[in-house]
Amino acid sequence: MGRVETPLSYIAKRWTPSVRTAKRAALAAVVMSVFIIITGGAVRLTGSGLGCDTWPKCTDDSLFATPEQGLHGAIEFGNRMLTYVLCAAVGWAIIAARSLKPRRRRLTRLAWSQFWLVMGNAVIGGITVWAGLNPWSVAGHFLLANCLLTVTVVTWVRIGEGDGPARPRAPKPVRRLSWAIVVTTVLLMVLGTTVTGSGKHAGDSSDVPRMPWDWSAAAHVHAVAAWIVCALAVAMWFALRVVDAPVDTRARARDLLVVLLVQGGIGYVQYFNDVPEILVGLHMLGSSLMWIAVLRLLLSMRERPAADSAGAVPAPASGERPEPVAAG
């Protein structure tokens, strides 16, 4: 009996995208991942978190928002509908990755993981509604959305690379510094959810529970973490010049510094102005851009050349044996 052909394999047999097309597909998933984070924040900032009072339906009797639910229902339901747009972008990325020639199984699995993250976060979103916007589930919803953003960015970068072993492009201490930036940035984003979870933008009414600590104290701890990330980013900027790192890697460090400068400015302005909704929304956008900049810096610390038709990887130009590296 012949092997059953899946829709993906059927498409892959008949279509071979260019690397440029595949990168555009992956970039679309990156953009939609950021967009769904921002619109999710808009739901909370407009007090529309319970605009649809159940899940997966919008009401017990209707899949769609009803006129009685007003603007809040329309905003929450609209955000739910954007999940389908996100799925379409992720689906395009999966199809493009699967259709590249020669077939890249690891890349295809990486692209598929985006789909499962979308599905998992949809379930957490439903649990958040059932739990009445419990701040802990809201925080988990945001952090898992950033896991999706992580995978979409890595997929986007990996499409433009080969599948050979990773080669370092900077000395080991500099690469370790890039991992320190990643770890502290993750801590910064987690601490950001504690500020959100204890602050005034609960997503609905004042009856929504908040995290059990002082909002101002949480904001100060969050700021300390932000300053640590900034210090590490400045150290990275100087270190890359000292070691004469590749131009694109130095550009990634510069981009991170610019994003951190803007993000920090927005953070302080919103704190001293009673966290107005528009600035909180911009701060969420800045959080996504900051994380993308951190990931791109980390991934620029190594390169993956393409193997030749026999599976061999070209030697480095210097003729030295490539050093193993753990960065993606």
Side-chain angles (χ1 to χ4, degrees):
M1 180 180 293
R3 186 175 180 180
V4 176
E5 189 172 48
T6 66
L8 279 179
S9 62
Y10 178 86
I11 295 172
K13 279 185 177 180
R14 292 157 178 80
W15 178 55
T16 301
S18 65
V19 172
R20 184 177 183 181
T21 297
K23 282 185 71 74
R24 285 177 176 173
L27 181 59
V30 174
V31 171
M32 277 308 304
S33 297
V34 173
F35 192 60
I36 205 73
I37 290 173
I38 304 309
T39 56
V43 169
R44 179 174 60 84
L45 294 170
T46 57
S48 305
L50 295 177
C52 289
D53 49 30
T54 189
W55 184 88
K57 292 183 176 181
C58 199
T59 71
D60 290 334
D61 303 317
S62 175
L63 179 64
F64 306 99
T66 63
E68 292 76 17
Q69 291 173 302
L71 180 61
H72 291 319
I75 291 174
E76 164 64 2
F77 184 72
N79 185 62
R80 292 186 184 188
M81 291 299 98
L82 283 173
T83 302
Y84 294 100
V85 182
L86 174 62
C87 286
V90 167
W92 184 28
I94 293 171
I95 292 171
R98 172 63 180 84
S99 301
L100 286 169
K101 307 294 188 304
R103 184 175 178 181
R104 301 175 62 182
R105 295 180 184 274
R106 293 175 63 185
L107 183 63
T108 303
R109 286 195 292 267
L110 188 63
W112 262 112
S113 66
Q114 300 176 27
F115 173 78
W116 298 114
L117 284 168
V118 172
M119 294 299 101
N121 214 15
V123 172
I124 292 181
I127 293 172
T128 300
V129 173
W130 290 340
L133 303 184
N134 182 289
W136 298 99
S137 60
V138 171
H141 195 43
F142 171 76
L143 293 174
L144 192 57
N146 277 281
C147 290
L148 172 63
L149 179 59
T150 302
V151 177
T152 59
V153 170
V154 173
T155 304
W156 175 45
V157 173
R158 288 287 289 113
I159 283 177
E161 300 177 327
D163 290 320
R167 292 176 180 165
R169 304 177 74 215
K172 184 176 289 186
V174 177
R175 302 200 307 273
R176 287 178 173 172
L177 179 58
S178 69
W179 275 109
I181 293 174
V182 170
V183 172
T184 52
T185 303
V186 170
L187 177 62
L188 176 63
M189 292 192 293
V190 171
L191 290 172
T193 66
T194 69
V195 180
T196 298
S198 58
K200 72 174 188 175
H201 297 299
D204 193 67
S205 68
S206 59
D207 297 330
V208 173
R210 312 309 293 137
M211 290 181 177
W213 44 71
D214 180 68
W215 170 81
S216 182
H220 280 89
V221 174
H222 178 62
V224 170
W227 278 110
I228 293 174
V229 173
C230 288
L232 292 174
V234 170
M236 174 63 77
W237 188 82
F238 279 111
L240 291 175
R241 276 150 181 76
V242 169
V243 302
D244 195 24
V247 173
D248 62 305
T249 302
R250 285 183 282 169
R252 298 291 82 78
R254 179 205 61 210
D255 295 344
L256 177 58
L257 280 175
V258 171
V259 172
L260 286 172
L261 178 64
V262 175
Q263 178 74 336
I266 293 173
Y268 276 104
V269 171
Q270 71 172 0
Y271 177 81
F272 289 111
N273 287 274
D274 199 28
V275 287
E277 288 82 355
I278 184 64
L279 289 183
V280 176
L282 289 174
H283 200 55
M284 292 189 68
L285 172 61
S287 173
S288 296
L289 296 179
M290 174 189 67
W291 185 230
I292 291 173
V294 168
L295 291 172
R296 293 186 73 197
L297 174 61
L298 174 70
L299 294 171
S300 72
M301 293 287 162
R302 88 289 179 275
E303 62 183 355
R304 287 183 179 274
D308 61 22
S309 58
V313 178
S318 63
E320 296 179 356
R321 187 181 184 86
E323 179 182 353
V325 57

PDB file of all heavy atoms in Angstrom, residues 39-53 69-77 132-133 200-208 277 280:
ATOM      1  N   THR A  39      -2.838  43.859  20.764  1.00  0.00           N
ATOM      2  CA  THR A  39      -4.303  43.889  20.821  1.00  0.00           C
ATOM      3  C   THR A  39      -4.811  43.228  22.097  1.00  0.00           C
ATOM      4  O   THR A  39      -5.841  43.646  22.648  1.00  0.00           O
ATOM      5  CB  THR A  39      -4.920  43.209  19.595  1.00  0.00           C
ATOM      6  OG1 THR A  39      -4.430  41.855  19.485  1.00  0.00           O
ATOM      7  CG2 THR A  39      -4.579  43.970  18.323  1.00  0.00           C
ATOM      8  N   GLY A  40      -4.095  42.211  22.582  1.00  0.00           N
ATOM      9  CA  GLY A  40      -4.464  41.627  23.868  1.00  0.00           C
ATOM     10  C   GLY A  40      -4.333  42.645  24.983  1.00  0.00           C
ATOM     11  O   GLY A  40      -5.176  42.716  25.894  1.00  0.00           O
ATOM     12  N   GLY A  41      -3.282  43.468  24.901  1.00  0.00           N
ATOM     13  CA  GLY A  41      -3.130  44.538  25.872  1.00  0.00           C
ATOM     14  C   GLY A  41      -4.235  45.570  25.750  1.00  0.00           C
ATOM     15  O   GLY A  41      -4.727  46.102  26.752  1.00  0.00           O
ATOM     16  N   ALA A  42      -4.656  45.850  24.501  1.00  0.00           N
ATOM     17  CA  ALA A  42      -5.735  46.816  24.292  1.00  0.00           C
ATOM     18  C   ALA A  42      -7.039  46.327  24.919  1.00  0.00           C
ATOM     19  O   ALA A  42      -7.821  47.133  25.443  1.00  0.00           O
ATOM     20  CB  ALA A  42      -5.924  47.060  22.794  1.00  0.00           C
ATOM     21  N   VAL A  43      -7.276  45.026  24.875  1.00  0.00           N
ATOM     22  CA  VAL A  43      -8.467  44.469  25.516  1.00  0.00           C
ATOM     23  C   VAL A  43      -8.450  44.792  27.005  1.00  0.00           C
ATOM     24  O   VAL A  43      -9.446  45.239  27.589  1.00  0.00           O
ATOM     25  CB  VAL A  43      -8.539  42.946  25.285  1.00  0.00           C
ATOM     26  CG1 VAL A  43      -9.629  42.316  26.161  1.00  0.00           C
ATOM     27  CG2 VAL A  43      -8.810  42.639  23.821  1.00  0.00           C
ATOM     28  N   ARG A  44      -7.310  44.577  27.633  1.00  0.00           N
ATOM     29  CA  ARG A  44      -7.199  44.846  29.076  1.00  0.00           C
ATOM     30  C   ARG A  44      -7.291  46.330  29.367  1.00  0.00           C
ATOM     31  O   ARG A  44      -7.987  46.762  30.297  1.00  0.00           O
ATOM     32  CB  ARG A  44      -5.877  44.280  29.597  1.00  0.00           C
ATOM     33  CG  ARG A  44      -5.630  44.519  31.071  1.00  0.00           C
ATOM     34  CD  ARG A  44      -4.372  43.795  31.544  1.00  0.00           C
ATOM     35  NE  ARG A  44      -3.180  44.225  30.836  1.00  0.00           N
ATOM     36  CZ  ARG A  44      -2.461  45.288  31.160  1.00  0.00           C
ATOM     37  NH1 ARG A  44      -2.829  46.064  32.176  1.00  0.00           N
ATOM     38  NH2 ARG A  44      -1.376  45.600  30.476  1.00  0.00           N
ATOM     39  N   LEU A  45      -6.609  47.148  28.571  1.00  0.00           N
ATOM     40  CA  LEU A  45      -6.545  48.582  28.849  1.00  0.00           C
ATOM     41  C   LEU A  45      -7.868  49.297  28.609  1.00  0.00           C
ATOM     42  O   LEU A  45      -8.103  50.373  29.160  1.00  0.00           O
ATOM     43  CB  LEU A  45      -5.443  49.218  28.000  1.00  0.00           C
ATOM     44  CG  LEU A  45      -4.026  48.759  28.332  1.00  0.00           C
ATOM     45  CD1 LEU A  45      -3.038  49.242  27.281  1.00  0.00           C
ATOM     46  CD2 LEU A  45      -3.611  49.259  29.715  1.00  0.00           C
ATOM     47  N   THR A  46      -8.734  48.723  27.786  1.00  0.00           N
ATOM     48  CA  THR A  46     -10.058  49.311  27.563  1.00  0.00           C
ATOM     49  C   THR A  46     -11.109  48.725  28.496  1.00  0.00           C
ATOM     50  O   THR A  46     -12.294  49.046  28.374  1.00  0.00           O
ATOM     51  CB  THR A  46     -10.508  49.099  26.108  1.00  0.00           C
ATOM     52  OG1 THR A  46     -10.506  47.689  25.807  1.00  0.00           O
ATOM     53  CG2 THR A  46      -9.588  49.824  25.130  1.00  0.00           C
ATOM     54  N   GLY A  47     -10.678  47.845  29.407  1.00  0.00           N
ATOM     55  CA  GLY A  47     -11.631  47.229  30.328  1.00  0.00           C
ATOM     56  C   GLY A  47     -12.551  46.232  29.671  1.00  0.00           C
ATOM     57  O   GLY A  47     -13.672  45.996  30.145  1.00  0.00           O
ATOM     58  N   SER A  48     -12.074  45.614  28.578  1.00  0.00           N
ATOM     59  CA  SER A  48     -12.917  44.704  27.799  1.00  0.00           C
ATOM     60  C   SER A  48     -12.579  43.240  28.022  1.00  0.00           C
ATOM     61  O   SER A  48     -13.005  42.378  27.252  1.00  0.00           O
ATOM     62  CB  SER A  48     -12.783  45.033  26.301  1.00  0.00           C
ATOM     63  OG  SER A  48     -13.083  46.386  26.048  1.00  0.00           O
ATOM     64  N   GLY A  49     -11.817  42.950  29.064  1.00  0.00           N
ATOM     65  CA  GLY A  49     -11.366  41.576  29.282  1.00  0.00           C
ATOM     66  C   GLY A  49     -12.488  40.585  29.454  1.00  0.00           C
ATOM     67  O   GLY A  49     -12.339  39.408  29.125  1.00  0.00           O
ATOM     68  N   LEU A  50     -13.623  41.036  29.995  1.00  0.00           N
ATOM     69  CA  LEU A  50     -14.791  40.165  30.136  1.00  0.00           C
ATOM     70  C   LEU A  50     -15.916  40.652  29.237  1.00  0.00           C
ATOM     71  O   LEU A  50     -17.098  40.437  29.528  1.00  0.00           O
ATOM     72  CB  LEU A  50     -15.243  40.118  31.598  1.00  0.00           C
ATOM     73  CG  LEU A  50     -14.231  39.485  32.562  1.00  0.00           C
ATOM     74  CD1 LEU A  50     -14.742  39.544  33.991  1.00  0.00           C
ATOM     75  CD2 LEU A  50     -13.921  38.042  32.165  1.00  0.00           C
ATOM     76  N   GLY A  51     -15.536  41.307  28.130  1.00  0.00           N
ATOM     77  CA  GLY A  51     -16.550  41.735  27.157  1.00  0.00           C
ATOM     78  C   GLY A  51     -17.318  40.553  26.615  1.00  0.00           C
ATOM     79  O   GLY A  51     -18.529  40.637  26.373  1.00  0.00           O
ATOM     80  N   CYS A  52     -16.617  39.441  26.414  1.00  0.00           N
ATOM     81  CA  CYS A  52     -17.254  38.137  26.177  1.00  0.00           C
ATOM     82  C   CYS A  52     -17.133  37.384  27.502  1.00  0.00           C
ATOM     83  O   CYS A  52     -16.017  37.136  27.969  1.00  0.00           O
ATOM     84  CB  CYS A  52     -16.554  37.377  25.056  1.00  0.00           C
ATOM     85  SG  CYS A  52     -16.820  38.056  23.403  1.00  0.00           S
ATOM     86  N   ASP A  53     -18.269  37.060  28.093  1.00  0.00           N
ATOM     87  CA  ASP A  53     -18.221  36.552  29.468  1.00  0.00           C
ATOM     88  C   ASP A  53     -17.990  35.058  29.588  1.00  0.00           C
ATOM     89  O   ASP A  53     -18.015  34.511  30.690  1.00  0.00           O
ATOM     90  CB  ASP A  53     -19.496  36.941  30.234  1.00  0.00           C
ATOM     91  CG  ASP A  53     -20.767  36.617  29.457  1.00  0.00           C
ATOM     92  OD1 ASP A  53     -20.740  35.646  28.673  1.00  0.00           O
ATOM     93  OD2 ASP A  53     -21.760  37.347  29.622  1.00  0.00           O
ATOM     94  N   GLN A  69     -23.784  43.548  24.562  1.00  0.00           N
ATOM     95  CA  GLN A  69     -22.451  43.593  25.158  1.00  0.00           C
ATOM     96  C   GLN A  69     -21.681  44.864  24.804  1.00  0.00           C
ATOM     97  O   GLN A  69     -20.627  45.125  25.372  1.00  0.00           O
ATOM     98  CB  GLN A  69     -21.649  42.362  24.728  1.00  0.00           C
ATOM     99  CG  GLN A  69     -22.187  41.068  25.333  1.00  0.00           C
ATOM    100  CD  GLN A  69     -21.497  39.847  24.758  1.00  0.00           C
ATOM    101  OE1 GLN A  69     -21.513  39.632  23.541  1.00  0.00           O
ATOM    102  NE2 GLN A  69     -20.879  39.054  25.619  1.00  0.00           N
ATOM    103  N   GLY A  70     -22.203  45.615  23.851  1.00  0.00           N
ATOM    104  CA  GLY A  70     -21.646  46.918  23.534  1.00  0.00           C
ATOM    105  C   GLY A  70     -20.225  46.878  22.985  1.00  0.00           C
ATOM    106  O   GLY A  70     -19.774  45.875  22.425  1.00  0.00           O
ATOM    107  N   LEU A  71     -19.522  47.984  23.216  1.00  0.00           N
ATOM    108  CA  LEU A  71     -18.171  48.135  22.671  1.00  0.00           C
ATOM    109  C   LEU A  71     -17.201  47.133  23.285  1.00  0.00           C
ATOM    110  O   LEU A  71     -16.332  46.592  22.584  1.00  0.00           O
ATOM    111  CB  LEU A  71     -17.668  49.564  22.922  1.00  0.00           C
ATOM    112  CG  LEU A  71     -16.263  49.895  22.405  1.00  0.00           C
ATOM    113  CD1 LEU A  71     -16.180  49.732  20.894  1.00  0.00           C
ATOM    114  CD2 LEU A  71     -15.857  51.304  22.822  1.00  0.00           C
ATOM    115  N   HIS A  72     -17.334  46.871  24.586  1.00  0.00           N
ATOM    116  CA  HIS A  72     -16.418  45.935  25.236  1.00  0.00           C
ATOM    117  C   HIS A  72     -16.517  44.545  24.613  1.00  0.00           C
ATOM    118  O   HIS A  72     -15.505  43.865  24.393  1.00  0.00           O
ATOM    119  CB  HIS A  72     -16.710  45.858  26.728  1.00  0.00           C
ATOM    120  CG  HIS A  72     -16.362  47.104  27.470  1.00  0.00           C
ATOM    121  ND1 HIS A  72     -15.223  47.833  27.216  1.00  0.00           N
ATOM    122  CD2 HIS A  72     -17.011  47.761  28.479  1.00  0.00           C
ATOM    123  CE1 HIS A  72     -15.167  48.884  28.013  1.00  0.00           C
ATOM    124  NE2 HIS A  72     -16.250  48.869  28.798  1.00  0.00           N
ATOM    125  N   GLY A  73     -17.727  44.111  24.332  1.00  0.00           N
ATOM    126  CA  GLY A  73     -17.908  42.808  23.694  1.00  0.00           C
ATOM    127  C   GLY A  73     -17.286  42.778  22.307  1.00  0.00           C
ATOM    128  O   GLY A  73     -16.668  41.792  21.908  1.00  0.00           O
ATOM    129  N   ALA A  74     -17.458  43.885  21.560  1.00  0.00           N
ATOM    130  CA  ALA A  74     -16.893  43.945  20.210  1.00  0.00           C
ATOM    131  C   ALA A  74     -15.369  43.901  20.245  1.00  0.00           C
ATOM    132  O   ALA A  74     -14.731  43.239  19.417  1.00  0.00           O
ATOM    133  CB  ALA A  74     -17.371  45.218  19.512  1.00  0.00           C
ATOM    134  N   ILE A  75     -14.770  44.594  21.227  1.00  0.00           N
ATOM    135  CA  ILE A  75     -13.305  44.611  21.326  1.00  0.00           C
ATOM    136  C   ILE A  75     -12.773  43.228  21.681  1.00  0.00           C
ATOM    137  O   ILE A  75     -11.831  42.734  21.050  1.00  0.00           O
ATOM    138  CB  ILE A  75     -12.863  45.651  22.369  1.00  0.00           C
ATOM    139  CG1 ILE A  75     -13.161  47.064  21.863  1.00  0.00           C
ATOM    140  CG2 ILE A  75     -11.373  45.502  22.684  1.00  0.00           C
ATOM    141  CD1 ILE A  75     -12.893  48.145  22.880  1.00  0.00           C
ATOM    142  N   GLU A  76     -13.370  42.588  22.676  1.00  0.00           N
ATOM    143  CA  GLU A  76     -12.904  41.259  23.082  1.00  0.00           C
ATOM    144  C   GLU A  76     -13.122  40.243  21.972  1.00  0.00           C
ATOM    145  O   GLU A  76     -12.225  39.433  21.674  1.00  0.00           O
ATOM    146  CB  GLU A  76     -13.630  40.832  24.363  1.00  0.00           C
ATOM    147  CG  GLU A  76     -13.552  39.348  24.688  1.00  0.00           C
ATOM    148  CD  GLU A  76     -12.142  38.842  24.983  1.00  0.00           C
ATOM    149  OE1 GLU A  76     -11.188  39.655  24.968  1.00  0.00           O
ATOM    150  OE2 GLU A  76     -12.001  37.630  25.205  1.00  0.00           O
ATOM    151  N   PHE A  77     -14.282  40.283  21.327  1.00  0.00           N
ATOM    152  CA  PHE A  77     -14.557  39.327  20.247  1.00  0.00           C
ATOM    153  C   PHE A  77     -13.631  39.586  19.060  1.00  0.00           C
ATOM    154  O   PHE A  77     -13.148  38.646  18.422  1.00  0.00           O
ATOM    155  CB  PHE A  77     -16.014  39.433  19.812  1.00  0.00           C
ATOM    156  CG  PHE A  77     -16.399  38.425  18.768  1.00  0.00           C
ATOM    157  CD1 PHE A  77     -16.542  37.085  19.104  1.00  0.00           C
ATOM    158  CD2 PHE A  77     -16.596  38.811  17.451  1.00  0.00           C
ATOM    159  CE1 PHE A  77     -16.879  36.143  18.133  1.00  0.00           C
ATOM    160  CE2 PHE A  77     -16.934  37.875  16.489  1.00  0.00           C
ATOM    161  CZ  PHE A  77     -17.088  36.533  16.830  1.00  0.00           C
ATOM    162  N   GLY A 132     -12.217  34.798  35.564  1.00  0.00           N
ATOM    163  CA  GLY A 132     -12.547  36.181  35.862  1.00  0.00           C
ATOM    164  C   GLY A 132     -11.355  37.111  35.819  1.00  0.00           C
ATOM    165  O   GLY A 132     -11.234  38.025  36.631  1.00  0.00           O
ATOM    166  N   LEU A 133     -10.436  36.873  34.866  1.00  0.00           N
ATOM    167  CA  LEU A 133      -9.223  37.685  34.688  1.00  0.00           C
ATOM    168  C   LEU A 133      -8.284  37.587  35.884  1.00  0.00           C
ATOM    169  O   LEU A 133      -7.675  38.577  36.307  1.00  0.00           O
ATOM    170  CB  LEU A 133      -9.570  39.152  34.410  1.00  0.00           C
ATOM    171  CG  LEU A 133     -10.463  39.438  33.204  1.00  0.00           C
ATOM    172  CD1 LEU A 133     -10.636  40.940  33.020  1.00  0.00           C
ATOM    173  CD2 LEU A 133      -9.888  38.816  31.938  1.00  0.00           C
ATOM    174  N   LYS A 200      -3.491  49.084  38.290  1.00  0.00           N
ATOM    175  CA  LYS A 200      -4.897  49.473  38.207  1.00  0.00           C
ATOM    176  C   LYS A 200      -5.598  48.974  36.952  1.00  0.00           C
ATOM    177  O   LYS A 200      -6.827  48.941  36.906  1.00  0.00           O
ATOM    178  CB  LYS A 200      -5.022  50.995  38.291  1.00  0.00           C
ATOM    179  CG  LYS A 200      -4.543  51.751  37.067  1.00  0.00           C
ATOM    180  CD  LYS A 200      -4.856  53.240  37.193  1.00  0.00           C
ATOM    181  CE  LYS A 200      -4.568  53.976  35.902  1.00  0.00           C
ATOM    182  NZ  LYS A 200      -4.972  55.398  35.978  1.00  0.00           N
ATOM    183  N   HIS A 201      -4.863  48.608  35.901  1.00  0.00           N
ATOM    184  CA  HIS A 201      -5.504  48.166  34.654  1.00  0.00           C
ATOM    185  C   HIS A 201      -5.804  46.672  34.737  1.00  0.00           C
ATOM    186  O   HIS A 201      -5.088  45.833  34.182  1.00  0.00           O
ATOM    187  CB  HIS A 201      -4.613  48.479  33.458  1.00  0.00           C
ATOM    188  CG  HIS A 201      -4.367  49.942  33.268  1.00  0.00           C
ATOM    189  ND1 HIS A 201      -5.384  50.845  33.019  1.00  0.00           N
ATOM    190  CD2 HIS A 201      -3.220  50.677  33.310  1.00  0.00           C
ATOM    191  CE1 HIS A 201      -4.878  52.062  32.906  1.00  0.00           C
ATOM    192  NE2 HIS A 201      -3.558  51.985  33.078  1.00  0.00           N
ATOM    193  N   ALA A 202      -6.891  46.333  35.418  1.00  0.00           N
ATOM    194  CA  ALA A 202      -7.219  44.935  35.682  1.00  0.00           C
ATOM    195  C   ALA A 202      -7.881  44.246  34.500  1.00  0.00           C
ATOM    196  O   ALA A 202      -7.959  43.026  34.453  1.00  0.00           O
ATOM    197  CB  ALA A 202      -8.129  44.840  36.903  1.00  0.00           C
ATOM    198  N   GLY A 203      -8.387  45.030  33.547  1.00  0.00           N
ATOM    199  CA  GLY A 203      -9.018  44.435  32.378  1.00  0.00           C
ATOM    200  C   GLY A 203     -10.522  44.477  32.411  1.00  0.00           C
ATOM    201  O   GLY A 203     -11.177  44.267  31.391  1.00  0.00           O
ATOM    202  N   ASP A 204     -11.096  44.775  33.563  1.00  0.00           N
ATOM    203  CA  ASP A 204     -12.555  44.892  33.652  1.00  0.00           C
ATOM    204  C   ASP A 204     -12.885  45.840  34.805  1.00  0.00           C
ATOM    205  O   ASP A 204     -12.391  46.949  34.847  1.00  0.00           O
ATOM    206  CB  ASP A 204     -13.197  43.510  33.832  1.00  0.00           C
ATOM    207  CG  ASP A 204     -14.710  43.542  33.622  1.00  0.00           C
ATOM    208  OD1 ASP A 204     -15.141  43.787  32.481  1.00  0.00           O
ATOM    209  OD2 ASP A 204     -15.447  43.340  34.592  1.00  0.00           O
ATOM    210  N   SER A 205     -13.654  45.389  35.766  1.00  0.00           N
ATOM    211  CA  SER A 205     -14.058  46.258  36.870  1.00  0.00           C
ATOM    212  C   SER A 205     -13.031  46.216  38.002  1.00  0.00           C
ATOM    213  O   SER A 205     -12.073  45.444  37.975  1.00  0.00           O
ATOM    214  CB  SER A 205     -15.421  45.810  37.406  1.00  0.00           C
ATOM    215  OG  SER A 205     -15.305  44.547  38.038  1.00  0.00           O
ATOM    216  N   SER A 206     -13.263  47.056  38.998  1.00  0.00           N
ATOM    217  CA  SER A 206     -12.370  47.088  40.154  1.00  0.00           C
ATOM    218  C   SER A 206     -12.490  45.836  41.007  1.00  0.00           C
ATOM    219  O   SER A 206     -11.714  45.643  41.940  1.00  0.00           O
ATOM    220  CB  SER A 206     -12.675  48.324  41.011  1.00  0.00           C
ATOM    221  OG  SER A 206     -14.031  48.300  41.440  1.00  0.00           O
ATOM    222  N   ASP A 207     -13.470  44.986  40.701  1.00  0.00           N
ATOM    223  CA  ASP A 207     -13.653  43.755  41.471  1.00  0.00           C
ATOM    224  C   ASP A 207     -12.675  42.658  41.068  1.00  0.00           C
ATOM    225  O   ASP A 207     -12.587  41.631  41.738  1.00  0.00           O
ATOM    226  CB  ASP A 207     -15.084  43.233  41.295  1.00  0.00           C
ATOM    227  CG  ASP A 207     -16.121  44.202  41.842  1.00  0.00           C
ATOM    228  OD1 ASP A 207     -15.785  44.925  42.800  1.00  0.00           O
ATOM    229  OD2 ASP A 207     -17.235  44.242  41.302  1.00  0.00           O
ATOM    230  N   VAL A 208     -11.973  42.843  39.951  1.00  0.00           N
ATOM    231  CA  VAL A 208     -11.024  41.831  39.499  1.00  0.00           C
ATOM    232  C   VAL A 208      -9.876  41.759  40.507  1.00  0.00           C
ATOM    233  O   VAL A 208      -9.306  42.785  40.878  1.00  0.00           O
ATOM    234  CB  VAL A 208     -10.486  42.175  38.099  1.00  0.00           C
ATOM    235  CG1 VAL A 208      -9.364  41.224  37.698  1.00  0.00           C
ATOM    236  CG2 VAL A 208     -11.612  42.134  37.073  1.00  0.00           C
ATOM    237  N   GLU A 277      -3.388  54.795  29.672  1.00  0.00           N
ATOM    238  CA  GLU A 277      -3.552  53.605  28.828  1.00  0.00           C
ATOM    239  C   GLU A 277      -2.685  53.641  27.578  1.00  0.00           C
ATOM    240  O   GLU A 277      -2.083  52.626  27.200  1.00  0.00           O
ATOM    241  CB  GLU A 277      -5.028  53.433  28.435  1.00  0.00           C
ATOM    242  CG  GLU A 277      -5.936  52.972  29.549  1.00  0.00           C
ATOM    243  CD  GLU A 277      -6.382  54.136  30.445  1.00  0.00           C
ATOM    244  OE1 GLU A 277      -5.908  55.285  30.242  1.00  0.00           O
ATOM    245  OE2 GLU A 277      -7.215  53.890  31.347  1.00  0.00           O
ATOM    246  N   VAL A 280       0.868  52.745  28.384  1.00  0.00           N
ATOM    247  CA  VAL A 280       0.994  51.321  28.727  1.00  0.00           C
ATOM    248  C   VAL A 280       1.009  50.487  27.452  1.00  0.00           C
ATOM    249  O   VAL A 280       1.784  49.536  27.313  1.00  0.00           O
ATOM    250  CB  VAL A 280      -0.143  50.887  29.661  1.00  0.00           C
ATOM    251  CG1 VAL A 280      -0.061  49.381  29.938  1.00  0.00           C
ATOM    252  CG2 VAL A 280      -0.098  51.655  30.972  1.00  0.00           C
TER     253      VAL A 280
END
